[in-house]
Amino acid sequence: MRVVIAEDLFLLRDGLVRLVQAYGHTVVAAVDSGPATLEALVGTRPDVAIVDVRLPPTFSDEGLQAALAARREVPGLPVLILSQHVEQLYARELLADGQGGVGYQLKDRVLDAGEFMDALARVAGGGTALDPTVVAKLLGRPAHADPLATLTERERSVLELMAEGLSNTAIAARLFLSEGAISKYTTTIFAKLGLAADDDTNRRVRAVLTYLGATGS
């Protein structure tokens, strides 16, 4: 994979570069500001980018803004946000275009290099990789705005794990159910959310986006 890294802290940026390279991938740019991030994303069009939310010059939301601007220029450009903070408004906007290829991980919850690189690969492949804490915060909205009102508690549990990027096999193991049962649950979830039976991968992404309140809300 060709990877762009946007992180203002030198030690963390250097560590990410070394981690990505250790797994056999190429870092095409490592930048430390919002403007440089946008330039790198649009200029190199990487397979995936790791972007911090708060970058210079103002340390507010330059990273997310750069990611949004880049995805407008390059639709579907895969971006994994890596931050200490959950910026709900712009995170929803990042997820709202339905293109997939998005992730949001919290720095203090990344405890395993292999799992992080797996999440990065999922995003590069057009999937999602969302920390459960991020999911919970993005779901913090009034009940009447919930597009998932028709789902049962079990179906919501399956969809929540789907939002974390887990496969049906992994969800089955987590819930102590058979893979066949999970497959039936996902089919029911798609039907209740009105997702047409075209491409299962795209339906999973669209279901996750609906779950996060980023589509149909």
Short mmCIF file of all heavy atoms in Angstrom, two decimals, residues 3-45:
data_model
loop_
_atom_site.label_atom_id
_atom_site.label_comp_id
_atom_site.label_asym_id
_atom_site.label_seq_id
_atom_site.Cartn_x
_atom_site.Cartn_y
_atom_site.Cartn_z
N VAL A 3 0.97 4.95 1.41
CA VAL A 3 0.34 5.55 2.58
C VAL A 3 0.81 6.98 2.78
O VAL A 3 2.01 7.27 2.66
CB VAL A 3 0.65 4.72 3.85
CG1 VAL A 3 -0.10 5.29 5.05
CG2 VAL A 3 0.29 3.26 3.64
N VAL A 4 -0.14 7.87 3.10
CA VAL A 4 0.18 9.22 3.56
C VAL A 4 -0.08 9.27 5.06
O VAL A 4 -1.10 8.75 5.54
CB VAL A 4 -0.68 10.28 2.84
CG1 VAL A 4 -0.64 11.61 3.60
CG2 VAL A 4 -0.19 10.49 1.42
N ILE A 5 0.82 9.89 5.81
CA ILE A 5 0.67 10.03 7.25
C ILE A 5 0.66 11.52 7.58
O ILE A 5 1.57 12.26 7.20
CB ILE A 5 1.82 9.33 8.01
CG1 ILE A 5 1.76 7.81 7.75
CG2 ILE A 5 1.75 9.62 9.51
CD1 ILE A 5 2.95 7.05 8.29
N ALA A 6 -0.38 11.95 8.29
CA ALA A 6 -0.50 13.35 8.71
C ALA A 6 -0.60 13.40 10.23
O ALA A 6 -1.63 13.06 10.81
CB ALA A 6 -1.72 14.00 8.07
N GLU A 7 0.47 13.81 10.87
CA GLU A 7 0.55 13.83 12.34
C GLU A 7 1.59 14.88 12.73
O GLU A 7 2.71 14.89 12.21
CB GLU A 7 0.97 12.45 12.86
CG GLU A 7 1.40 12.41 14.31
CD GLU A 7 0.31 12.86 15.27
OE1 GLU A 7 -0.80 12.28 15.21
OE2 GLU A 7 0.57 13.79 16.07
N ASP A 8 1.21 15.80 13.64
CA ASP A 8 2.12 16.90 13.96
C ASP A 8 3.18 16.52 14.98
O ASP A 8 4.24 17.15 15.03
CB ASP A 8 1.33 18.11 14.46
CG ASP A 8 0.60 17.83 15.75
OD1 ASP A 8 -0.29 16.96 15.74
OD2 ASP A 8 0.89 18.48 16.77
N LEU A 9 2.95 15.51 15.81
CA LEU A 9 3.94 15.11 16.80
C LEU A 9 5.03 14.27 16.14
O LEU A 9 4.74 13.19 15.60
CB LEU A 9 3.28 14.32 17.93
CG LEU A 9 2.26 15.09 18.78
CD1 LEU A 9 1.63 14.18 19.82
CD2 LEU A 9 2.91 16.30 19.44
N PHE A 10 6.26 14.74 16.21
CA PHE A 10 7.35 14.09 15.49
C PHE A 10 7.51 12.62 15.87
O PHE A 10 7.61 11.74 15.01
CB PHE A 10 8.68 14.82 15.73
CG PHE A 10 9.88 14.02 15.27
CD1 PHE A 10 10.16 13.91 13.91
CD2 PHE A 10 10.68 13.35 16.18
CE1 PHE A 10 11.24 13.16 13.49
CE2 PHE A 10 11.76 12.60 15.75
CZ PHE A 10 12.04 12.50 14.39
N LEU A 11 7.54 12.32 17.17
CA LEU A 11 7.79 10.95 17.60
C LEU A 11 6.70 10.00 17.12
O LEU A 11 6.97 8.88 16.68
CB LEU A 11 7.93 10.88 19.13
CG LEU A 11 9.21 11.48 19.71
CD1 LEU A 11 9.20 11.38 21.24
CD2 LEU A 11 10.44 10.78 19.16
N LEU A 12 5.44 10.45 17.21
CA LEU A 12 4.35 9.60 16.76
C LEU A 12 4.37 9.46 15.24
O LEU A 12 4.15 8.37 14.70
CB LEU A 12 3.01 10.18 17.22
CG LEU A 12 1.76 9.38 16.83
CD1 LEU A 12 1.87 7.93 17.25
CD2 LEU A 12 0.52 10.01 17.45
N ARG A 13 4.64 10.56 14.55
CA ARG A 13 4.71 10.49 13.08
C ARG A 13 5.81 9.54 12.64
O ARG A 13 5.61 8.69 11.77
CB ARG A 13 4.95 11.89 12.51
CG ARG A 13 4.91 11.94 10.99
CD ARG A 13 4.97 13.36 10.45
NE ARG A 13 6.23 14.02 10.73
CZ ARG A 13 6.38 14.99 11.62
NH1 ARG A 13 5.36 15.43 12.33
NH2 ARG A 13 7.57 15.55 11.81
N ASP A 14 6.97 9.66 13.27
CA ASP A 14 8.09 8.80 12.92
C ASP A 14 7.77 7.34 13.26
O ASP A 14 8.10 6.43 12.49
CB ASP A 14 9.34 9.24 13.68
CG ASP A 14 10.59 8.47 13.26
OD1 ASP A 14 10.97 8.56 12.08
OD2 ASP A 14 11.15 7.76 14.10
N GLY A 15 7.08 7.13 14.39
CA GLY A 15 6.70 5.77 14.76
C GLY A 15 5.73 5.16 13.78
O GLY A 15 5.84 3.97 13.43
N LEU A 16 4.78 5.95 13.29
CA LEU A 16 3.83 5.46 12.29
C LEU A 16 4.53 5.13 10.98
O LEU A 16 4.21 4.12 10.34
CB LEU A 16 2.73 6.50 12.06
CG LEU A 16 1.69 6.64 13.18
CD1 LEU A 16 0.83 7.88 12.95
CD2 LEU A 16 0.82 5.40 13.28
N VAL A 17 5.47 5.98 10.60
CA VAL A 17 6.23 5.71 9.38
C VAL A 17 6.95 4.38 9.50
O VAL A 17 6.89 3.52 8.59
CB VAL A 17 7.25 6.84 9.10
CG1 VAL A 17 8.21 6.43 7.99
CG2 VAL A 17 6.53 8.13 8.72
N ARG A 18 7.61 4.16 10.62
CA ARG A 18 8.37 2.92 10.82
C ARG A 18 7.44 1.71 10.87
O ARG A 18 7.76 0.63 10.34
CB ARG A 18 9.19 3.01 12.10
CG ARG A 18 10.33 4.02 12.02
CD ARG A 18 11.01 4.21 13.37
NE ARG A 18 12.03 5.24 13.32
CZ ARG A 18 13.30 5.02 13.00
NH1 ARG A 18 13.70 3.79 12.71
NH2 ARG A 18 14.17 6.02 12.98
N LEU A 19 6.28 1.87 11.48
CA LEU A 19 5.31 0.76 11.57
C LEU A 19 4.81 0.38 10.18
O LEU A 19 4.79 -0.81 9.82
CB LEU A 19 4.13 1.17 12.46
CG LEU A 19 2.98 0.15 12.55
CD1 LEU A 19 3.45 -1.16 13.16
CD2 LEU A 19 1.82 0.74 13.37
N VAL A 20 4.40 1.37 9.42
CA VAL A 20 3.90 1.11 8.07
C VAL A 20 4.97 0.43 7.22
O VAL A 20 4.70 -0.54 6.49
CB VAL A 20 3.41 2.42 7.42
CG1 VAL A 20 3.17 2.23 5.92
CG2 VAL A 20 2.13 2.90 8.10
N GLN A 21 6.19 0.93 7.31
CA GLN A 21 7.28 0.35 6.52
C GLN A 21 7.62 -1.06 6.99
O GLN A 21 7.96 -1.93 6.18
CB GLN A 21 8.50 1.26 6.59
CG GLN A 21 8.32 2.59 5.88
CD GLN A 21 9.49 3.53 6.06
OE1 GLN A 21 10.25 3.42 7.02
NE2 GLN A 21 9.63 4.49 5.14
N ALA A 22 7.51 -1.31 8.28
CA ALA A 22 7.81 -2.63 8.81
C ALA A 22 6.86 -3.69 8.27
O ALA A 22 7.21 -4.88 8.18
CB ALA A 22 7.76 -2.61 10.34
N TYR A 23 5.65 -3.27 7.89
CA TYR A 23 4.67 -4.19 7.32
C TYR A 23 4.75 -4.24 5.80
O TYR A 23 3.86 -4.77 5.14
CB TYR A 23 3.27 -3.82 7.78
CG TYR A 23 2.93 -4.39 9.14
CD1 TYR A 23 3.44 -3.83 10.31
CD2 TYR A 23 2.11 -5.52 9.27
CE1 TYR A 23 3.14 -4.35 11.56
CE2 TYR A 23 1.81 -6.05 10.51
CZ TYR A 23 2.33 -5.47 11.65
OH TYR A 23 2.04 -6.01 12.90
N GLY A 24 5.82 -3.67 5.25
CA GLY A 24 6.07 -3.80 3.82
C GLY A 24 5.39 -2.79 2.93
O GLY A 24 5.35 -2.95 1.71
N HIS A 25 4.87 -1.71 3.53
CA HIS A 25 4.18 -0.69 2.75
C HIS A 25 5.08 0.54 2.54
O HIS A 25 6.11 0.68 3.19
CB HIS A 25 2.87 -0.29 3.43
CG HIS A 25 1.99 -1.46 3.76
ND1 HIS A 25 1.53 -2.32 2.79
CD2 HIS A 25 1.52 -1.93 4.95
CE1 HIS A 25 0.80 -3.26 3.35
NE2 HIS A 25 0.78 -3.05 4.66
N THR A 26 4.65 1.43 1.67
CA THR A 26 5.45 2.60 1.32
C THR A 26 4.77 3.87 1.82
O THR A 26 3.58 4.09 1.58
CB THR A 26 5.60 2.72 -0.21
OG1 THR A 26 6.24 1.53 -0.69
CG2 THR A 26 6.44 3.93 -0.59
N VAL A 27 5.52 4.70 2.52
CA VAL A 27 5.02 6.00 2.97
C VAL A 27 5.40 7.02 1.89
O VAL A 27 6.57 7.32 1.69
CB VAL A 27 5.62 6.41 4.32
CG1 VAL A 27 5.16 7.81 4.72
CG2 VAL A 27 5.23 5.40 5.40
N VAL A 28 4.38 7.53 1.19
CA VAL A 28 4.65 8.46 0.09
C VAL A 28 4.73 9.90 0.57
O VAL A 28 5.26 10.76 -0.13
CB VAL A 28 3.58 8.33 -1.02
CG1 VAL A 28 3.68 6.96 -1.67
CG2 VAL A 28 2.18 8.58 -0.48
N ALA A 29 4.22 10.17 1.78
CA ALA A 29 4.33 11.51 2.36
C ALA A 29 4.06 11.42 3.85
O ALA A 29 3.17 10.68 4.28
CB ALA A 29 3.36 12.49 1.71
N ALA A 30 4.82 12.18 4.64
CA ALA A 30 4.60 12.28 6.09
C ALA A 30 4.60 13.76 6.41
O ALA A 30 5.65 14.42 6.32
CB ALA A 30 5.68 11.54 6.87
N VAL A 31 3.44 14.30 6.76
CA VAL A 31 3.28 15.75 6.89
C VAL A 31 2.77 16.12 8.28
O VAL A 31 2.33 15.25 9.05
CB VAL A 31 2.32 16.29 5.80
CG1 VAL A 31 2.91 16.05 4.42
CG2 VAL A 31 0.95 15.61 5.91
N ASP A 32 2.82 17.43 8.60
CA ASP A 32 2.50 17.83 9.97
C ASP A 32 1.56 19.03 10.07
O ASP A 32 1.48 19.68 11.10
CB ASP A 32 3.79 18.14 10.73
CG ASP A 32 4.57 19.31 10.11
OD1 ASP A 32 4.11 19.86 9.09
OD2 ASP A 32 5.62 19.65 10.67
N SER A 33 0.81 19.34 8.99
CA SER A 33 -0.13 20.47 9.04
C SER A 33 -1.33 20.19 8.15
O SER A 33 -1.28 19.32 7.27
CB SER A 33 0.55 21.76 8.61
OG SER A 33 0.78 21.76 7.21
N GLY A 34 -2.40 20.97 8.37
CA GLY A 34 -3.60 20.80 7.56
C GLY A 34 -3.37 21.06 6.08
O GLY A 34 -3.70 20.22 5.24
N PRO A 35 -2.79 22.21 5.70
CA PRO A 35 -2.54 22.49 4.28
C PRO A 35 -1.65 21.44 3.62
O PRO A 35 -1.90 21.03 2.49
CB PRO A 35 -1.87 23.87 4.31
CG PRO A 35 -2.39 24.51 5.56
CD PRO A 35 -2.49 23.40 6.56
N ALA A 36 -0.61 21.00 4.33
CA ALA A 36 0.28 19.99 3.77
C ALA A 36 -0.43 18.66 3.59
O ALA A 36 -0.14 17.90 2.66
CB ALA A 36 1.51 19.82 4.66
N THR A 37 -1.39 18.38 4.49
CA THR A 37 -2.16 17.14 4.39
C THR A 37 -3.00 17.13 3.12
O THR A 37 -3.00 16.15 2.36
CB THR A 37 -3.08 16.98 5.62
OG1 THR A 37 -2.27 16.89 6.80
CG2 THR A 37 -3.92 15.72 5.50
N LEU A 38 -3.72 18.21 2.88
CA LEU A 38 -4.55 18.29 1.68
C LEU A 38 -3.69 18.17 0.42
O LEU A 38 -4.05 17.43 -0.52
CB LEU A 38 -5.33 19.60 1.67
CG LEU A 38 -6.22 19.85 0.45
CD1 LEU A 38 -7.23 18.73 0.26
CD2 LEU A 38 -6.93 21.19 0.57
N GLU A 39 -2.58 18.87 0.41
CA GLU A 39 -1.69 18.82 -0.75
C GLU A 39 -1.18 17.40 -0.99
O GLU A 39 -1.14 16.92 -2.13
CB GLU A 39 -0.51 19.77 -0.55
CG GLU A 39 0.46 19.81 -1.73
CD GLU A 39 1.61 20.78 -1.51
OE1 GLU A 39 1.60 21.49 -0.49
OE2 GLU A 39 2.53 20.81 -2.36
N ALA A 40 -0.80 16.71 0.09
CA ALA A 40 -0.27 15.35 -0.04
C ALA A 40 -1.35 14.37 -0.50
O ALA A 40 -1.10 13.51 -1.35
CB ALA A 40 0.32 14.89 1.29
N LEU A 41 -2.57 14.50 0.05
CA LEU A 41 -3.64 13.58 -0.31
C LEU A 41 -4.05 13.72 -1.77
O LEU A 41 -4.21 12.72 -2.47
CB LEU A 41 -4.85 13.81 0.59
CG LEU A 41 -4.68 13.46 2.07
CD1 LEU A 41 -5.94 13.79 2.85
CD2 LEU A 41 -4.32 11.99 2.24
N VAL A 42 -4.22 14.95 -2.20
CA VAL A 42 -4.65 15.18 -3.59
C VAL A 42 -3.49 14.95 -4.56
O VAL A 42 -3.68 14.40 -5.65
CB VAL A 42 -5.21 16.61 -3.75
CG1 VAL A 42 -5.54 16.89 -5.21
CG2 VAL A 42 -6.46 16.79 -2.88
N GLY A 43 -2.29 15.32 -4.14
CA GLY A 43 -1.14 15.21 -5.03
C GLY A 43 -0.67 13.79 -5.24
O GLY A 43 -0.28 13.42 -6.36
N THR A 44 -0.70 12.95 -4.18
CA THR A 44 -0.17 11.59 -4.30
C THR A 44 -1.26 10.54 -4.50
O THR A 44 -0.99 9.45 -4.95
CB THR A 44 0.65 11.20 -3.06
OG1 THR A 44 -0.22 11.11 -1.91
CG2 THR A 44 1.74 12.23 -2.77
N ARG A 45 -2.51 10.88 -4.12
CA ARG A 45 -3.63 9.94 -4.21
C ARG A 45 -3.23 8.56 -3.68
O ARG A 45 -3.17 7.58 -4.42
CB ARG A 45 -4.14 9.83 -5.64
CG ARG A 45 -4.61 11.16 -6.19
CD ARG A 45 -5.46 11.04 -7.42
NE ARG A 45 -5.98 12.36 -7.81
CZ ARG A 45 -7.05 12.55 -8.57
NH1 ARG A 45 -7.72 11.50 -9.02
NH2 ARG A 45 -7.45 13.76 -8.87
#
